Structures are given as structure tokens and as C-alpha cells.
Amino acid sequence: MNDIILQKENHLATITINRTKALNALNTQVLFQLEEVLQDLKKDDNVFVVIVTGAGEKAFVAGADITEMKEFSVFEGRNFSALGNRIFREIENLEKPVIAAINGFALGGGCEFALACDIRIASSKAKFGQPEVGLGITPGFGGTQRLARIVGIGAAKELLYTGKMIDAAEAYRIGLVNKVVEPDKLMETAKTLANGIAENAPIAVKLCKAAVNRGMQMDIDTAVMYEADIFSQCFSTQDQKEGMTAFIERRHKNFINK
């Protein structure tokens, strides 16, 4: 898998999109490779948190591969969109938290890739946008849906209708990213955050992700009942017993899954 690099270390996995000559653009081959990596991570109980980033200094993912898309038929366009959406939903539904470390251009499919992640940390040199309307198309990997949910309908429509590119500071202002750091601090910051998450009970973190993601699609009354179900499940785990006992005994916690 030359287009994707997967590294694992201390309960942390890092996925790097590695097509620097194409600014890490997503084509069919890269998407299938990404899906293969995600299947591996689903099965690896030793990985608690995932970071995704792009190789090189210029791009996280500059978008979907226009060279591949240019001659698509309606049928081929539908299949390509369905493939990207399926894989990005796998990222969204991965039980482990996913952090996007955005080191450069995150445009079109690259912005949509970041939107599918749980947390987004941007280099101060990062650029964001959904420029599809300037190419005669719409976003096809969930951009019209996730962007509005994350930054609000008004800000999302402005970005979608104009196709304009914004810098990291503006992305932070509208809530598109959680944090902006200097380029040389990007991976360090992402790993520090990931390790902080990994210190906690992995089952509880997994259930938090499920509660937020599923609850956002429910009315509030149904959502809080779902939260109660999630909360109650924790009391069947050894992690809950260890976490609360360690708190009462004022000692370091030692979660069983580690």
C-alpha cells in the first residue's frame, strides 16, 4: 500500500496519506487502501486512538483526484461518491476516536475527510474549502451534510456556494477546527491529545463517541434515554470498578484493558 502509511505505537495508530506528487489527492485506489487500513484498526484491540494526516508539508488531502473524475459518467460519479461516503462513515463510526492533524490543503474531499474525524487540529498554514462548485460539481463525500452540522448552516452555505478557501484562523473562528498550532508542533500536539485520551477507560471513550454520534441524529428526549442506556452499560465493566476504586483510594488507575 504505497499510497498509505500505517504506524502503530503505544496504543496509538497514525494513518498518513502518501501521494505527495498529487498533493495526497484521493482516488479510487487510495480509498480502497484506506478502507483496508480501517478494517485492520477495527480488529486491533491494542489501538485506542487514531491520527490521520498527509505526507509532506503542502497538503493534508488536497481533494478528490480530478484527473480520475474528469471523464466520469453519471453512473461512475455515483459509485465514486458512494465509495467515499462509505469509507468516511467507517471513519465516523470507528469505535476509536480519530484525530485529523491537518498540515496543509484540506480542500474538497480533503475537507470532507477531516470532517469525518472526531477532532481536527490544524497547522497555522492549513487551508480549508469546498471548491466543488467551481468545478461544476457538488461535494460528494458528505461535505454538504457534515459541514453544516459542524459549523452551522449559514457558514456552511457560504463556503459551499462560493467555493472560497479559508485559512486556519478563520476555520478556528467558525468552529471547523478545534485548535491551531505552528507547523512544527502539529504532530506533537496531536499525539499529546491522543495519549491523553488513551489514558482513560477505552470502553467509556468508545461509548462516549457512540452517544454523541447517535444522539445528534435523535430528538433530545430519545437522545437522553440513549445516554442513560450507555451510562448504565459502564457499570458492567471492570474499568468502572477500577476507575472509581482508584479515585476513592487516591491512587493511579490501572484499567484492565491495558
Side-chain angles (χ1 to χ4, degrees), residues 163-185:
K164 71 179 181 180
M165 187 165 57
I166 61 174
D167 61 18
E170 177 66 4
Y172 177 75
R173 188 190 71 81
I174 65 175
L176 180 55
V177 299
N178 298 68
K179 186 178 297 186
V180 178
V181 299
E182 290 306 307
D184 61 344
K185 298 293 184 183

Side-chain angles (χ1 to χ4, degrees), residues 52-65:
V52 296
T53 193
E57 299 179 356
K58 292 183 179 180
F60 170 70
V61 170
D65 195 323

